[in-house]
Amino acid sequence: MSKSLSLLFAVVAVALMVATAFSINTNGWLALSFGILTCMVIVAGFVIKAKQIKKLPNS
């Protein structure tokens, strides 16, 4: 995975974690939504990384 793509996933995941933390105080359902969305972004990062590693030729 390229460094810029890794950075993008990291920044988006951290932003969603911060949004989850702020929304815990105000609305539980919103916090749950942000938490699920955060997990989905993290998993998507791992999936993309695995697919890119799989595409690389064995050398």
Side-chain angles (χ1 to χ4, degrees):
M1 182 182 289
S2 67
K3 290 184 180 183
S4 59
L5 188 58
S6 298
L7 180 64
L8 175 70
F9 273 104
V11 169
V12 170
V14 169
L16 286 170
M17 288 180 202
V18 170
T20 303
F22 283 129
S23 64
I24 285 173
N25 194 25
T26 58
N27 188 348
W29 288 110
L30 187 62
L32 182 64
S33 301
F34 277 132
I36 292 171
L37 190 58
T38 301
C39 290
M40 289 172 59
V41 167
I42 293 170
V43 168
F46 281 118
V47 167
I48 290 173
K49 182 178 179 180
K51 284 185 179 182
Q52 287 182 348
I53 288 174
K54 194 174 182 181
K55 278 186 179 180
L56 292 176
N58 294 335
S59 46

